[in-house]
Amino acid sequence: MTDSYSNQPDLNWSQVRETVKLLTATVTQVETGMESGDASVNALTESFTSIVDHMNAIHDLLDELEPSKKKSQALEHCDLTSEKIQESIIAFQFYDRLCQSQSHVSLALKDLSSLVDSPDRIYNPSEWSKLQQGIRSRFTMESEKVMFDAILSGKSIEEAVKLAAQVDETEEDDVEFF
């Protein structure tokens, strides 16, 4: 049996196969984007680590100098630079959170594709329940769980996003910055 394509359908054409292809294409796009982003963030992390090391060395050298206005100004610039580095590290933490979320999306789409592609599982409600439980169990952030539960309970996307944002606000208050 040969595959049939939507642009040239024949008797073997199937909306399920088309769905699986679209899910696979979506997963591939998400994963490719995440890999590119990870490479960039890794390079930035290495750069910031190096900058921190150099800033510490400059600060140590300045501490050895006799007190002066220039020394004070240079130390102030070191401190301001350190603050900016900390802000960047915080931004990386939120990027890491985005990557976790995208990873969950990718895995969920793969699992969904597998279920839809399986004739003996697609019409079995317990398989769908297992899929939903498996997807939810991967979530590490409470806001993801709240959004997922809201959607499954029939809430609109807007309502689910609003509920998740409320949880995010409280989670952000609990984020420990270093």
Side-chain angles (χ1 to χ4, degrees), residues 148-172:
F148 187 77
D149 292 344
I151 294 291
L152 289 185
S153 72
K155 297 214 181 312
S156 70
I157 292 172
E158 293 80 14
E159 291 170 312
V161 168
K162 186 176 180 180
L163 289 169
Q166 291 170 350
V167 172
D168 269 342
E169 287 176 18
T170 59
E171 284 182 343
E172 285 176 15

Side-chain angles (χ1 to χ4, degrees), residues 85-144:
I85 291 170
Q86 286 298 321
E87 290 173 11
S88 299
I89 290 169
I90 291 167
F92 287 146
Q93 289 174 321
F94 285 102
Y95 174 80
D96 182 55
R97 185 176 172 177
L98 171 67
C99 286
Q100 286 178 30
S101 181
Q102 291 301 304
S103 176
H104 297 156
V105 168
S106 180
L107 290 169
L109 289 172
K110 283 180 181 178
D111 290 348
L112 175 60
S113 180
S114 175
L115 186 141
V116 169
D117 199 30
S118 177
D120 58 325
R121 295 176 58 215
I122 191 170
Y123 299 108
N124 184 337
S126 68
E127 290 291 333
W128 285 91
S129 180
K130 279 194 270 186
L131 171 68
Q132 292 166 355
Q133 290 169 7
I135 290 170
R136 190 180 191 286
S137 72
R138 288 189 197 109
F139 296 147
T140 54
M141 294 173 278
E142 190 61 29
S143 59
E144 290 178 305

Side-chain angles (χ1 to χ4, degrees), residues 4-128:
S4 176
Y5 300 95
S6 60
N7 59 347
Q8 294 180 328
D10 59 21
L11 294 177
N12 291 323
W13 183 84
S14 164
Q15 71 273 22
V16 171
R17 263 195 311 278
E18 294 299 318
T19 301
V20 169
K21 288 177 193 175
L22 290 172
L23 288 170
T24 301
T26 302
V27 167
T28 303
Q29 288 176 320
V30 168
E31 288 179 346
T32 302
M34 286 175 27
E35 287 170 9
S36 296
D38 284 344
S40 296
V41 167
N42 288 339
L44 285 170
T45 300
E46 288 176 20
S47 293
F48 276 106
T49 300
S50 177
I51 291 169
V52 167
D53 291 343
H54 289 291
M55 286 302 302
N56 288 336
I58 292 169
H59 199 281
D60 291 346
L61 290 170
L62 290 170
D63 274 342
E64 295 175 8
L65 298 176
E66 294 295 319
S68 71
K69 185 176 180 181
K70 295 248 185 225
K71 175 185 173 180
S72 295
Q73 289 173 337
L75 285 170
E76 185 178 327
H77 284 290
C78 282
D79 292 340
L80 290 172
T81 302
S82 292
E83 286 177 27
K84 291 297 181 185
I85 291 170
Q86 286 298 321
E87 290 173 11
S88 299
I89 290 169
I90 291 167
F92 287 146
Q93 289 174 321
F94 285 102
Y95 174 80
D96 182 55
R97 185 176 172 177
L98 171 67
C99 286
Q100 286 178 30
S101 181
Q102 291 301 304
S103 176
H104 297 156
V105 168
S106 180
L107 290 169
L109 289 172
K110 283 180 181 178
D111 290 348
L112 175 60
S113 180
S114 175
L115 186 141
V116 169
D117 199 30
S118 177
D120 58 325
R121 295 176 58 215
I122 191 170
Y123 299 108
N124 184 337
S126 68
E127 290 291 333
W128 285 91

